[in-house]
Structures are given as C-alpha cells and as structure tokens.
Amino acid sequence: MKRRTFLQKFGSILAVLGATEAEWLTLGNRYYQALAQTRPRKLALLVGINQYPHSPALTGCLTDVELQRELLIHRFSFQPSDILCLTEEKATRESIETAFSEHLVKQAQPDDLVVFHFSGYGSYVKSAREQEQNALVLIADKNKIQESHNVNYLLEEYVHLMLRSLPTNHVTAILDTSFYTPSVYIPSALRIRSHRVPVEAIVANELEFQKQLQDKISSSQSALVLKATSHPRDLAQELQLSGFSAGLFTYALTQSLWEATPATTIQFCMSQAAGSVQRFGSNQQWPTLLIEGKNQQTPIRLSENFLPNSILGAEGVVTGIEEDGKTFQLWLGGFPAQVLEYLGNNSRLTIETQSGLTAQLTVRSRAGLTAKAQLVNVESGVIPQVGQLVRETVRLLPRSVSLVIALDPKLERIERVDSTSAFATFSRVTSVVAGEQPADYVFGRLPETKIKDLAATSSSLVSLSRYSLFSLGGEQIPNTVGEAGEAVKVSALRLGLKLQALLAAKLWRLTNNQGSSRLGVRATLEVMGTLSPRALMQQQTVRTQTTDTSGKKSYSPETGEIPSVATGNRIQFRLENLSDRPVYFMLLGLNSGRIPMALFSWYRNIEIADSEPRLQNVVIAPGETLTVPQTTPGMDWVVQGPAFLSESQLIFSTSPFTQTLIAMEAVKHTKAEQQRIQSLLNPLEVTQAVLQDLHNASSVTETNGSTADSYELDVNHWASFSFVYQVV
C-alpha cells in the first residue's frame, strides 16, 4: 500500500469511528454499554523476526510470538482469527502499516482491547530531520527498490503515535528489543537484540507522516507501552533454555500474566517480570512501563487492558488430544522459566471444571514449552478438553541439579581446557561453551576497559589479565575476580565456595510458587523509618486470594521497576498467615556481595543453667502476623554494600523445618539470643535440607513411576517467594 493511501485510509477510518463512538455515548444504550464491558472485541498484531538478511540471526523472536499468542488465546480469550502474526520475511514496513490499518484501525471500536507486540532487532538511526532516534529493524520489501542510504525501519516514535491513534484507550504494546550496541566485548551467554546500522543510513519521509498522525490524536487517547529496556544503553537479551530460546523480557512478562488475577496491576506484573530478568543475570536489562497520554503513577489493573477469562491463573493449557484418547498435549508457558527447565516427569497438574469436578494429569514427557500427560483419576469421569487450563498440583524436582558454567568463546583453547579441568573437580558443577547449551553463569576474562582501570599505574596490561565469573548478561559477580596474572586454572579453582553458594541459590529458586501455591500467606518487605515502617514490595499466594484481599494494594514501584534500598537502611519482612493452620517459615538469600545469608532464630532455654543458644522453628499461628527478624535495638538487619542486586527467598511450610535446623547447627555459626540475619556457612547442605523438609511436609501419595531421585512438593503444603531489590 502506498504511504499516501495508507494515511488517507488511516485518517478517514479514525474519523468514522470517532463519530460512531460519540453517537453511541449520546444514546446511552444500557444494553450496548453492558455488552461493551463484558464482551469487548480483542485484537492483536504480533511481529517477530529471527532471520535478518545482513545480520546474525536471532533465535527467540518466533518463540515470543508463540508465547504471546498462546497467552492471549487461552488466558485472555482472544479469538485466534483476531490475532494476526507477521514473522520473518512477512514483517516488512509496508506489511505492518497495512496490517495496522486493516486489522486494527478498521476493526477496533471504543472499549475494545488491542495488543501490539514486536520482537527483533532495534537500532539507532537518523530520521529525515537528521535526528538520531530509536527504530525497530524490519525486513526490506523485495518488490521495492530501496533508495540510497534509506532503510526500511520503523521509528519507535512513530509506533507510539500509531498506538494512540486507535479509537480505544485499552491499547498495550510490548517491545522486546533494544537500540544500543556495545562497543566493548562483554563475556555473556545471552544474545543481544540490538544492531548497529551504517552511519549514513536514514529513515526517510517521516516528518509529514508523523505530523498527520499527531493531528489525529486527542488528549484523551492513551496506550501502555511495556518495554524490555528503560535506559538508552540497556540491552534486551534472549534466554536459552532446553529445547527453545525466547526473549528474556517476553517470557518473564507472559509468565507473570499467566498467574495474575484481574485485580493485579500492570505495574505489579512488570515488577515481577523485572525481578525474573534480574534473577537470570541480565543486570543490563531493566524493563519499564510507559503510559502514553496518562499519569505515569496511575495504577492500571489487569482487567482494564486484558480481561482474564478466569479469576485464577494457570501454568498451562490443554492444546491437543492424541488418538488413544488418554494422552493429552499441554502448553506450559505459565511455569517460571527456571522451574520449567527442571520440571520432572510424574509432576501432576489439575483441571477444574465449572461444575467443580476435577481431573488430574501426570506429566510423562516434556520438550521445550510443550508436554504430554495422561489422566490419573480416570474414575472421576472428567475428560480434559482442548482449551482447558491446567494448574500445578505436585512438582517433582530432581535431586541432582548441577550448576552450569559457560566458558567464554573468547578464551583460548588451552584456557578452555584448563577451565574445564578445574570445574570438573567440583561436585555438581559442569562447564559448557557459551551459547551452545543453557547455562547459569559465564567464566571469562575481565573486559579490556576494566583491566585498564586496574592497570592505571602499570605499564604492562598482559601481566594484569584477570579472570572472573559473570552473570549470563555479562555483569561481573562480586568477589569472584582472580589475582593479577593468575593462571586460568587457579582462578577457576578459587571459585569453589562461591559456586556452592550459587548452586544453593539455584536450588532454592526452584521452589518459587507464588502463582500455584494453595497455602495462604502474604509477605511484605519494609524499610524501617523513624516513625513507622514503609512498605517496599509485597507478595501473596495468588490462588488463595479472596475478593477482599485481591483488591488490596500490592506494594511495588509504580513504574514497574524493582525497588532500590540504600546502604545503611534497616529492613524487615512482615509475614501474614492467611490460612487456617500453623505455618513454619525459613529465609535464605544472597546479599549484594553474593554471600549466602539466612535467618537464624536463636533461643536460650532459661530452665537449664549455662545452656547454649539453640535454633528453633519460626511458626506463625493462623490469622497472625509476625515480623522478622525480631531483634533488639542496635541489632537490626542493616543493608550493606556493594551496589548490586540482593535476593531473599521466603519459604513457608505446613511442617517444621526439622532437617534444615539440623543442617544449620552442624556448622559453628555465631550464636546469639535472638533472631539474626547472618552469613550461612554451608548453604548447599542447608538448601538441600529445606527441599527435604518440603518433601516430607507434602506427604505426597506415591506417584506412578516416581523414584527416590526427586523431591515431590505438594502446592497445598508450601509457598515460596523471591524478593529481589537493588542495593544503591
């Protein structure tokens, strides 16, 4: 379609829709208003590009489109015919403009829901006004001859104008791309979604087009823009898991939306997604929320822009039934990515029908985001149907999970051989080449700029070559850099204690189940003030929320970013037992120095003279609230540097942490006569004991084919939250 023709159709359609909207509002037809509120049309345009003609291929953009499509259809009741996907060579500028006009503008009515998604490369490019702007990199139309230096990109500014030109305020855009390309190599295992274009490249003929779009926008029109990055130098990155790759932001966001309730705010979902991104080690990627045409501080409930088809979330959906009628195909994009990676066979999922009957499915095999399952309780008479949501009941996790270290491809062959040999000496630590297999961390050299900083007073850079451990996104892990001039094998071997701590953290993250737990608990992170504590962020088990509790404020930053805490501040957790039974509690974590920490609840038996302090279980009675740590003045939990992420894992159980306390007392930790947050000297042994205690608490009936190689955790007996915040 010619640009001029597109503009004319764009303007005329908007004018017609505007008049229609005003007419209906004047009539005040109650039937129409009720219909518009309960059955709005839901339209989506999803764009994903992996294969670019003159750039290295991406690997997760088509998965992103699939993730969004499955989410919109099965969680938010979009009709498949109302979702238009443009992928690979179909994603030209002309095709997107035409699709926007014909599929969105022409069909959208006031109060309809519209979603636009883009996954692919982004870049800085000059516009016709000689200004450098953000642009989405598209595929050139083969049928058109490109003018010299002109590129077939879409300015981000233009995308925002298109969104606000729609005749509805329920518009959401997801942009999983970035625009800055680093000039210095960073050891990383995540592919970056930004691409440098030639300096002379220009996006032509934009000025007139944007002016005409601006003329169509009224002050009342608005749109949500959910971006993978918030700052100009942030990097949108792709995550590699077993069987598939995906945009780190897209997976985190869609997974959060799978488990959200209608009362959940978009800001809270973005905060959850940001925390997931940071846990995967992408500290150079900070998702952000823009509210075009609205106050940025306005909380926006999920029901305003998505309208979930169920009050309760889900971990997946039935997508097919095989010929035997007993095997069912599942889509499991609602599981946290780290949990999905290790979800074991014989894990159980439940289907709940409108009549209240349930059916249980047992996972028999999994490949990427899909799985095959079979009925467990056939006698119930409930036969799963395509489109029914499935919810987690029993999680099986292998007892043999290892920490995987990716070796930076920039290392010389002999360096990789020596590193592999060193890591092989550690129990439950394996090494792979970065980019070839999923990994947890990257081992490589410090970037040249950092070496220069360290060598400011030296004339020799070679002698100061240093090796370090990095996050998947290329952020140096505190306290892992080797000595100047140290051999690569020695640098790897000195990481032994740090690797055990990081493996422990990987294991406790596998307990995350805020979305699936049926144990009613709530936790709030508070910063202590001079008068009263200030709530910083809050989490609650989603499937125990009532109408009253789900409507309460979720404490998370209004912008959707993870919160920050300044060094020197005092913090605490406020814990609420919303269930009808006692709940036991355990806190583990990594401080900003990546040192393992834990809550030690010491007590002294005053009935025994000269007795030493011992550890006791922290228990919360039904309906009660408890703050931890409970300390005396001067012994508070004080946030300390360095400036990095800090992580706390809050784990609740219906049974005491018996094995955990034994493991904690097996090492001589500093004792006190009160609750203390202190360093954990044997994090791996304690974490394994926590998993065993959760396994014992679940008392799972023997599942068909289960073995002693797995922990079996029942969602009715445990809840686990991950709190991530930035220390500044």
Side-chain angles (χ1 to χ4, degrees):
M1 179 184 294
K2 299 285 187 183
R3 185 180 301 276
R4 186 178 302 276
T5 304
F6 172 75
L7 286 170
Q8 291 172 346
K9 296 181 89 171
F10 200 92
S12 61
I13 292 169
L14 284 176
V16 171
L17 290 178
T20 303
E21 179 185 6
E23 180 182 356
W24 276 112
L25 292 176
T26 302
L27 290 174
N29 188 317
R30 292 185 179 181
Y31 173 77
Y32 170 79
Q33 291 175 351
L35 185 63
Q37 290 174 2
T38 58
R39 296 185 60 191
R41 191 169 187 181
K42 304 176 181 182
L43 302 167
L45 173 59
L46 312 179
V47 181
I49 309 171
N50 277 340
Q51 302 296 326
Y52 285 87
H54 306 295
S55 304
L58 297 172
T59 58
C61 298
L62 300 192
T63 304
D64 289 359
V65 170
E66 187 180 2
L67 283 163
Q68 288 284 8
R69 188 175 184 275
E70 296 294 328
L71 173 80
L72 295 178
I73 291 173
H74 300 296
R75 187 71 182 96
F76 298 111
S77 300
F78 279 62
Q79 294 300 314
S81 58
D82 286 332
I83 300 176
L84 178 59
C85 300
L86 296 178
T87 58
E88 303 295 36
E89 70 277 0
K90 296 179 182 178
T92 66
R93 180 190 179 102
E94 291 75 14
S95 296
I96 293 174
E97 289 178 349
T98 301
F100 199 91
S101 172
E102 299 295 326
H103 183 64
L104 300 183
V105 175
K106 220 175 222 186
Q107 299 189 88
Q109 298 289 330
D111 293 325
D112 283 354
L113 309 182
V114 175
V115 173
F116 173 76
H117 179 98
F118 175 82
S119 284
Y121 276 126
S123 184
Y124 292 137
V125 68
K126 287 183 180 179
S127 68
R129 292 168 282 175
E130 291 297 317
Q131 295 176 336
E132 193 174 70
Q133 293 181 291
N134 297 339
L136 312 184
V137 180
L138 307 179
I139 301 297
D141 192 331
K142 296 179 181 179
N143 299 321
K144 294 195 174 184
I145 300 176
Q146 296 294 311
E147 299 178 24
S148 177
H149 303 318
N150 285 355
V151 289
N152 200 44
Y153 296 174
L154 199 60
L155 291 181
E156 185 186 23
E157 175 187 354
Y158 163 55
V159 174
H160 291 193
L161 292 175
M162 292 174 69
L163 296 169
R164 293 190 61 195
S165 297
L166 287 163
T168 173
N169 282 329
H170 305 298
V171 179
T172 303
I174 299 96
L175 304 180
D176 199 345
T177 187
S178 56
F179 311 101
Y180 169 71
T181 304
S183 57
V184 177
Y185 177 78
I186 301 173
S188 171
L190 301 179
R191 198 180 300 266
I192 298 172
R193 289 185 175 178
S194 54
H195 172 63
R196 185 179 288 110
V197 300
V199 176
E200 66 274 10
I202 297 174
V203 175
N205 301 321
E206 288 296 323
L207 187 60
E208 178 184 356
F209 186 57
Q210 292 188 26
K211 184 178 182 303
Q212 294 187 45
L213 284 177
Q214 288 170 337
D215 292 340
K216 307 299 180 184
I217 298 174
S218 70
S219 59
S220 62
Q221 289 168 308
S222 64
L224 296 181
V225 182
L226 315 181
K227 299 178 61 177
T229 62
S230 59
H231 302 293
R233 288 179 174 256
D234 280 357
L235 305 174
Q237 298 168 313
E238 293 189 333
L239 172 69
Q240 182 182 13
L241 293 170
S242 298
F244 70 98
S245 294
L248 187 53
F249 172 59
T250 296
Y251 194 98
L253 178 64
T254 55
Q255 190 275 320
S256 178
L257 291 171
W258 268 99
E259 67 181 23
T261 68
T264 304
T265 66
I266 297 291
Q267 286 88 341
F268 184 78
C269 289
M270 285 292 287
S271 179
Q272 293 289 91
S276 296
V277 167
Q278 304 310 309
R279 278 189 293 274
F280 269 105
S282 185
N283 299 334
Q284 295 177 331
Q285 178 176 350
W286 296 83
T288 190
L289 165 64
L290 299 176
I291 309 177
E292 296 284 343
K294 277 189 178 181
N295 186 335
Q296 293 288 331
Q297 306 301 320
T298 304
I300 300 176
R301 291 185 177 231
L302 200 63
S303 55
E304 294 183 41
N305 278 53
F306 286 97
L307 284 179
N309 60 352
S310 170
I311 294 177
L312 296 179
E315 277 64 59
V317 64
V318 178
T319 56
I321 304 175
E322 299 194 356
E323 292 182 359
D324 61 4
K326 299 178 181 179
T327 304
F328 301 88
Q329 300 168 5
L330 308 178
W331 168 269
L332 299 179
F335 276 98
Q338 291 163 309
V339 174
L340 180 64
E341 185 80 352
Y342 291 98
L343 188 70
N345 288 346
N346 298 313
S347 294
R348 289 192 182 186
L349 304 167
T350 298
I351 291 175
E352 299 177 10
T353 65
Q354 293 182 347
S355 62
L357 297 175
T358 62
Q360 282 199 348
L361 296 171
T362 297
V363 175
R364 294 306 185 198
S365 64
R366 184 186 64 82
L369 287 158
T370 62
K372 290 186 178 182
Q374 292 182 328
L375 274 177
V376 176
N377 54 342
V378 182
E379 66 278 1
S380 69
V382 177
I383 304 298
Q385 303 296 318
V386 172
Q388 287 183 315
L389 300 179
V390 295
R391 300 185 173 97
E392 182 180 30
T393 302
V394 176
R395 179 182 302 178
L396 265 72
L397 297 173
R399 294 176 181 263
S400 57
V401 174
S402 297
L403 192 73
V404 183
I405 306 299
L407 303 181
D408 182 13
K410 292 290 185 180
L411 293 174
E412 300 291 338
R413 182 178 180 277
I414 186 61
E415 291 176 306
R416 293 199 298 271
V417 170
D418 286 349
S419 301
T420 301
S421 174
F423 289 126
T425 64
F426 299 124
S427 173
R428 298 177 63 175
V429 176
T430 60
S431 58
V432 299
V433 177
E436 293 185 0
Q437 298 179 47
D440 301 303
Y441 295 91
V442 179
F443 180 73
R445 295 192 201 95
L446 281 177
E448 183 180 347
T449 54
K450 291 193 176 184
I451 296 175
K452 288 181 179 179
D453 291 339
L454 293 170
T457 59
S458 173
S459 60
S460 174
L461 291 181
V462 177
S463 63
L464 286 178
S465 290
R466 294 187 171 190
Y467 301 94
S468 184
L469 201 63
F470 299 85
S471 70
L472 292 180
E475 191 79 7
Q476 182 185 335
I477 303 299
N479 303 318
T480 63
V481 63
E483 298 293 334
E486 190 172 61
V488 63
K489 188 169 186 177
V490 175
S491 289
L493 287 172
R494 71 164 61 245
L495 294 174
L497 292 178
K498 183 65 66 176
L499 296 179
Q500 294 299 296
L502 297 177
L503 174 57
K506 178 178 180 177
L507 292 177
W508 72 54
R509 290 170 189 150
L510 294 180
T511 66
N512 283 340
N513 72 337
Q514 178 190 4
S516 64
S517 175
R518 299 299 179 100
L519 183 61
V521 289
R522 182 190 297 139
T524 306
L525 175 61
E526 299 178 334
V527 176
M528 307 301 292
T530 55
L531 297 178
S532 61
R534 174 175 60 88
L536 194 64
M537 60 190 304
Q538 184 183 89
Q539 296 192 43
Q540 178 181 343
T541 46
V542 176
R543 288 176 199 168
T544 62
Q545 291 182 3
T546 63
T547 304
D548 294 334
T549 59
S550 63
K552 291 185 178 180
K553 180 180 179 181
S554 294
Y555 294 95
S556 60
E558 288 81 359
T559 59
E561 297 180 354
I562 67 173
S564 297
V565 182
T567 56
N569 278 349
R570 297 173 297 126
I571 60 175
Q572 68 177 17
F573 280 102
R574 184 173 301 275
L575 313 175
E576 300 174 70
N577 182 359
L578 308 176
S579 71
D580 58 359
R581 47 189 167 166
V583 170
Y584 297 84
F585 169 75
M586 179 60 59
L587 187 154
L588 304 172
L590 292 175
N591 67 11
S592 61
R594 302 290 87 180
I595 297 174
M597 311 292 288
L599 172 69
F600 288 77
S601 185
W602 299 106
Y603 82 102
R604 183 190 296 274
N605 190 339
I606 60 176
E607 297 180 358
I608 302 177
D610 300 325
S611 64
E612 288 191 354
R614 298 294 302 273
L615 289 173
Q616 64 178 343
N617 272 283
V618 178
V619 60
I620 313 171
E624 295 297 316
T625 297
L626 183 70
T627 59
V628 295
Q630 294 177 318
T631 58
T632 58
M635 300 298 292
D636 300 308
W637 185 4
V638 179
V639 176
Q640 299 177 342
F644 202 74
L645 291 174
S646 187
E647 170 187 348
S648 296
Q649 193 76 31
L650 279 62
I651 305 173
F652 302 84
S653 174
T654 56
S655 295
F657 288 94
T658 306
Q659 298 300 317
T660 304
L661 297 189
I662 293 174
M664 294 173 77
E665 289 195 324
V667 177
K668 293 184 178 180
H669 293 92
T670 303
K671 296 183 178 182
E673 296 186 18
Q674 58 190 345
Q675 291 181 357
R676 292 283 302 277
I677 300 292
Q678 60 189 74
S679 298
L680 184 60
L681 302 180
N682 56 337
L684 183 56
E685 291 78 7
V686 169
T687 303
Q688 291 173 309
V690 168
L691 287 167
Q692 185 62 47
D693 280 329
L694 296 180
H695 172 91
N696 296 340
S698 296
S699 301
V700 178
T701 302
E702 183 72 11
T703 54
N704 185 23
S706 66
T707 69
D709 297 332
S710 300
Y711 299 106
E712 300 187 28
L713 312 182
D714 189 319
V715 296
N716 293 290
H717 294 280
W718 110 95
S720 184
F721 305 148
S722 180
F723 282 78
V724 178
Y725 56 90
Q726 179 74 31
V727 175
V728 295

